[in-house]
Amino acid sequence: MTGISKKKATIYDLSVLSGASASTVSAVLNGSWRKRRIKETTAELIQKLANEHGYTANLQARGLRSSRSGLVGLLLPVHDNRYFSSMAQSFEAQARNRGQCPLVVSACRDPEEERQVVETLISYSIDELFIAGATDPDGVHAVCEKAGLKHVNIDLPGTLAPSIISDNYEGARMLTQAIIERAREDGPLSPDDVYLFGGRNDHASHERIRGFRDVKRAMLGADPDICIQPTGYSPAMTARAFEVFYEGHGKLPRTFFVNSSINLEGLMRFLALHPHETFADIIVGCYDYDPFGSFLPFPVFMIRQDGEAMITKGFAILDANRPPVLTHLVQPSLVPPRTALTGPLDALKDIE
């Protein structure tokens, strides 16, 4: 076909080039070829030809024919966070692999903004929506339900739609146990030596605080309320909380749990204003993962949440017919500090 190189190919052009039927080509391009048991070699050939000859789906026309636009949305609380940006990358890759067009937006942890953003996405006729870390997931559910939009909660659970979240309680238990055991290597530890900074009034924070407190009681025999310092997800407020503690005690706690990488940023802001001696002997646990933690001059234990597994499970739930309203837990993993000798070099391997 001499004209294909001069214009964008159609499904029928690709059918001729590949030797497959037009319906087979369509199934490959819309991501349903596995369900139709089309050979992977055939799918790879069609996808290769589509790329070579500039095929692009007419999403508007496809929507008119099938009542599906091919668009799938991900609502985030923020973009400037390694955990959520990594989740967005997994979402985009998996959506494209399924033949869908991903849309990623944020709502800045504002419940009214969340609802308005979702209403806007619905006006673009998205087929499905992932609701990640929403302040009011049930409020977003009401908007989706009214429009008949399939949706699933990620990271923070709702009560009206299926949810996939980290096992925050178990992750907090692992992290708290690790920092207490490490601190004990330097001498006896009392309950007043172990603090938690960060968090807010949400499910993840509640579960992390519960895990932290259960381990403290089991290992140290007590857990004074003063050792919980909620600061919200704000670097500035976290830095201020550390400053107030330092002004009152003349030092930081022996070891402490920070509730997210955002709170870890607050700690860095505080430390930048004080001499090295302020943090020479601290041990930190961060409920988030950032490879730059390996470059810090004190031990940092981290929890790596599996955003990719959450997205994979979310797509599986959305593919199901009438999935039950359940909360599915995804296990996080503990990342111990690197050794002083290998830390920076090994950490560089994790930085993309």
Side-chain angles (χ1 to χ4, degrees):
M1 295 185 64
T2 59
I4 293 179
S5 61
K6 298 180 181 179
K7 64 181 181 68
K8 292 181 179 180
T10 68
I11 284 177
Y12 302 101
D13 295 330
L14 297 177
S15 173
V16 173
L17 286 171
S18 65
S21 68
S23 65
T24 296
V25 173
S26 178
V28 170
L29 297 176
N30 68 27
S32 64
W33 59 273
R34 288 187 178 88
K35 293 181 180 179
R36 291 189 48 185
R37 298 183 180 178
I38 294 169
K39 291 181 179 179
E40 186 169 353
T41 53
T42 301
E44 290 175 349
L45 172 62
I46 292 170
Q47 290 166 345
K48 180 174 180 291
L49 291 169
N51 291 334
E52 289 176 352
H53 295 285
Y55 174 83
T56 55
N58 185 330
L59 295 179
Q60 186 176 25
R62 188 169 79 186
L64 291 172
R65 290 193 303 272
S66 66
S67 298
R68 290 182 64 83
S69 65
L71 302 174
V72 56
L74 170 64
L75 176 67
L76 295 176
V78 290
H79 288 288
D80 59 344
N81 173 285
R82 179 176 288 274
Y83 169 56
F84 287 118
S85 64
S86 176
M87 180 183 290
Q89 288 179 326
S90 294
F91 167 75
E92 291 184 352
Q94 293 192 42
R96 290 194 175 99
N97 191 50
R98 292 162 56 91
Q100 296 171 294
C101 180
L103 297 175
V104 181
V105 294
S106 69
C108 303
R109 302 189 191 275
D110 182 330
E112 182 58 33
E113 184 72 12
E114 289 168 358
R115 290 187 287 271
Q116 291 180 3
V117 167
V118 171
E119 287 172 352
T120 300
L121 290 173
I122 290 170
S123 73
Y124 281 92
S125 300
I126 63 170
D127 297 328
E128 300 163 339
L129 177 65
F130 286 71
I131 304 162
T135 305
D136 181 18
D138 287 347
V140 176
H141 165 82
V143 176
C144 296
E145 186 75 5
K146 184 177 179 180
L149 176 65
K150 296 179 71 174
H151 57 288
V152 64
N153 298 310
I154 303 288
D155 183 62
L156 288 177
T159 63
L160 303 174
S163 303
I164 307 103
I165 65 173
S166 283
D167 189 340
N168 290 287
Y169 175 78
E170 182 58 28
R173 288 187 70 259
M174 289 191 294
L175 188 61
T176 307
Q177 180 175 331
I179 62 175
I180 290 176
E181 288 177 347
R182 175 62 183 81
R184 278 177 164 173
E185 294 177 8
D186 299 328
L189 202 64
S190 77
D192 293 332
D193 291 325
V194 185
Y195 271 67
L196 183 149
F197 290 86
R200 59 187 293 169
N201 187 25
D202 62 31
H203 179 274
S205 294
H206 292 165
E207 287 297 283
R208 293 172 193 175
I209 290 172
R210 187 168 70 90
F212 171 82
R213 304 192 86 154
D214 282 356
V215 170
K216 272 194 68 178
R217 291 189 186 103
M219 297 184 71
L220 301 176
D223 178 36
D225 288 341
I226 196 172
C227 292
I228 305 295
Q229 298 283 319
T231 64
Y233 293 118
S234 164
M237 291 179 64
T238 306
R240 180 57 186 159
F242 280 110
E243 191 66 56
V244 169
F245 187 96
Y246 182 69
E247 290 172 356
H249 296 79
K251 61 179 181 178
L252 293 182
R254 284 270 306 282
T255 185
F256 48 90
F257 180 129
V258 291
N259 198 40
S260 74
S261 59
I262 298 172
N263 301 127
L264 184 64
E265 180 183 339
L267 173 63
M268 296 301 101
R269 292 187 185 186
F270 163 79
L271 295 178
L273 302 176
H274 295 273
H276 173 77
E277 292 76 16
T278 306
F279 52 91
D281 60 352
I282 62 173
I283 295 159
V284 177
C286 177
Y287 202 106
D288 253 340
Y289 175 72
D290 192 314
F292 288 107
S294 297
F295 292 87
L296 296 174
F298 45 81
V300 181
F301 292 80
M302 291 175 278
I303 289 291
R304 190 199 297 262
Q305 302 183 79
D306 196 343
E308 182 176 0
M310 293 185 212
I311 294 296
T312 300
K313 182 66 175 178
F315 274 116
I317 287 173
L318 290 173
D319 285 341
N321 185 29
R322 296 183 179 276
V325 180
L326 298 174
T327 297
H328 305 266
L329 298 179
V330 174
Q331 292 300 309
S333 57
L334 177 70
V335 181
R338 308 287 187 179
T339 65
L341 178 63
T342 62
L345 294 177
D346 285 351
L348 285 172
K349 298 175 184 178
D350 290 332
I351 301 173
E352 297 179 358

